[in-house]
Amino acid sequence: MTNQTFTPRVFSGIKPSGGLTLGNYLGAIKRFVGMQGEMETIYCVVDMHAITVWQDPAELKMMTREVAAGYLAAGLDPTQSTLFNQSAVAAHAELGWIFNCVARVGWMNRMTQFKDKAGSNAEKVSLGLYAYPSLMAADILLYHATHVPVGDDQKQHVELTRDIATKFNHDFKTDFFPLTEPVIEGDATRIMNLRDGTKKMSKSGESDMERINMTDGADLIAKKFKKAKTDPEALPETLDGLKDRPEARNLVDIYAALDDRTSEDVIGEYAGAGWGKFKPALADLAVAKLAPISTEMARLMDDPAEIDRILADGAEKARAIAEPVLAQTYDIVGLLRPGR
Ligand code: TYM
């Protein structure tokens, strides 16, 4: 049990493996930006998570900058939030190791994302992919983060973070780590694949037509929504009418999230409309919202030294919080740090 009161603090991260999708934008980045100013916010490009599966080294560096550019282009203000890449703060790996010794193998075996990613190939994937959730717990707890905004697919990992904090506090008879809350709110916490509304939109899906990438141009965005799978029926009067229509529900949710409205509100406006009306409206809205972000991302990517400077400043701010937490953790665990 923890009795200590922790200052409200937000932490979240995105892997630089493959490009950013509309799922990352609506489920994560847009919500991260919205939390700026409400509490202290720390956002990370989690490059050490990316290497749990093979990454081309030059591409990884480029993608790390591109994810940082995505955050900045979407409105993250480095004077209000701390923005850095995970590998620049060594304490993540160090606390991750301690948590590998706290977390139980049985807990890892229950992680559905590992099962999905490893599939029938579980013997051949990296040990890092298996241990990934304890590094994620370290990311969060290194900052004593109280709130972690994530999409629905990360809920189990944040719950595991609470289990690790609870076991650590219990084993060492302390209240050092907080029990972090996942923040999974709104209609955009699970954006689905445009060709199959039962699957999540992801960076790694086989066809590019399944997803909107943050770098897609206006014509491609319009084409992808036009070709998105739907059903023959018009939009119903209420959200209940979309219960067994996953593709239709997804497009309504995307519209709502892009326009900062609820899905109910969108259904109210488009009740009875056919796809011939809804899809072009959605494509126009998406282009209006996303094109300025992708243009800004491209501008930022033209000056990688500036991105690196922002990340270096962020890493310094992050270290100032992380290093004392790590030092105290070493002390609690009984790891000697002579001379430090
Ligand atoms: P990652 O990189 O897969 O995704 C980054 C964020 O985007 C959200 N997201 C989605 N949200 C809605 N609909 C979708 N289709 C969709 N696809 C992705 C994810 O839920 C996530 O919030 N393990 C994490 C990264 C991580 C992390 C952390 C997150 C590492 N350490 C500490 C929070 C705190 C991951 O792989 O996210």
Side-chain angles (χ1 to χ4, degrees):
M1 270 311 288
T2 171
N3 301 314
Q4 214 194 120
T5 26
F6 293 92
T7 317
R9 188 180 275 156
V10 174
F11 180 94
S12 201
I14 300 181
K15 280 193 310 272
S17 49
L20 291 170
T21 69
L22 182 64
N24 295 132
Y25 174 62
L26 294 177
I29 300 179
K30 187 169 189 286
R31 298 174 52 229
F32 298 173
V33 170
M35 291 175 101
Q36 280 187 141
E38 279 178 24
M39 350 178 177
E40 184 182 354
T41 41
I42 304 177
Y43 297 124
C44 190
V45 185
V46 287
D47 47 4
M48 294 173 74
H49 282 277
I51 61 166
T52 55
V53 299
W54 170 253
Q55 303 295 332
D56 173 79
E59 177 87 355
L60 177 60
K61 287 182 187 161
M62 207 269 288
M63 286 311 307
T64 301
R65 293 188 180 111
E66 191 172 294
V67 172
Y71 276 118
L72 294 165
L76 186 141
D77 173 356
T79 64
Q80 278 199 61
S81 295
T82 299
L83 175 64
F84 70 106
N85 63 305
Q86 185 187 25
S87 61
V89 180
H92 287 250
E94 294 178 76
L95 187 62
W97 178 257
I98 293 176
F99 287 169
N100 277 346
C101 303
V102 173
R104 305 289 93 181
V105 166
W107 300 358
M108 298 297 156
N109 287 341
R110 285 197 293 276
M111 294 297 111
T112 54
Q113 202 167 63
F114 177 77
K115 288 185 207 164
D116 291 349
K117 284 200 174 167
S120 53
N121 204 24
E123 295 282 315
K124 300 253 168 67
V125 298
S126 76
L127 188 55
L129 189 69
Y130 186 63
Y132 179 118
S134 71
L135 179 61
M136 179 161 160
D139 300 337
I140 296 168
L141 294 174
L142 197 49
Y143 300 91
H144 279 184
T146 53
H147 296 77
V148 175
V150 279
D152 182 63
D153 60 332
Q154 296 299 320
K155 185 167 188 248
Q156 198 185 27
H157 292 158
V158 184
E159 284 166 357
L160 185 99
T161 301
R162 293 168 64 92
D163 291 341
I164 290 178
T166 303
K167 183 163 163 50
F168 182 98
N169 287 347
H170 175 268
D171 289 354
F172 295 101
K173 300 187 179 45
T174 177
D175 57 3
F176 188 60
F177 287 117
L179 299 186
T180 308
E181 293 291 337
V183 183
I184 305 173
E185 287 165 356
D187 291 315
T189 57
R190 195 169 181 83
I191 299 297
M192 308 309 277
N193 178 322
L194 297 181
R195 307 306 289 241
D196 177 350
T198 64
K199 290 195 192 139
K200 193 187 69 164
M201 183 184 287
S202 82
K203 308 167 194 191
S204 54
E206 56 215 44
S207 156
D208 193 57
M209 294 301 284
E210 301 172 0
R211 62 182 164 264
I212 304 286
N213 305 300
M214 296 274 291
T215 48
D216 286 346
D219 290 349
L220 191 54
I221 293 175
K223 183 174 161 201
K224 285 179 175 176
F225 278 124
K226 198 167 148 222
K227 297 216 163 201
K229 184 179 167 199
T230 41
D231 51 41
E233 280 162 58
L235 284 166
E237 308 260 317
T238 64
L239 276 185
D240 264 359
L242 291 177
K243 222 166 49 200
D244 300 315
R245 299 172 63 187
E247 286 84 11
R249 173 73 205 234
N250 188 38
L251 295 186
V252 170
D253 287 345
I254 291 175
Y255 192 110
L258 283 169
D259 212 21
D260 290 312
R261 293 159 63 182
T262 63
S263 298
E264 263 121 7
D265 198 31
V266 172
I267 275 288
E269 182 183 340
Y270 284 96
W275 296 109
K277 177 171 175 196
F278 188 78
K279 280 181 167 183
L282 173 58
D284 286 350
L285 174 66
V287 168
K289 300 283 180 177
L290 300 177
I293 299 176
S294 67
T295 308
E296 178 62 5
M297 275 175 80
R299 191 192 68 77
L300 289 162
M301 287 299 283
D302 273 346
D303 188 359
E306 174 64 6
I307 297 179
D308 291 2
R309 194 191 57 71
I310 293 170
L311 290 174
D313 281 357
E316 201 178 311
K317 284 200 273 170
R319 270 185 229 115
I321 303 174
E323 284 173 1
V325 171
L326 184 72
Q328 275 178 274
T329 310
Y330 272 43
D331 185 50
I332 292 169
V333 172
L335 298 170
L336 207 58
R337 307 183 104 199
R340 293 185 76 179

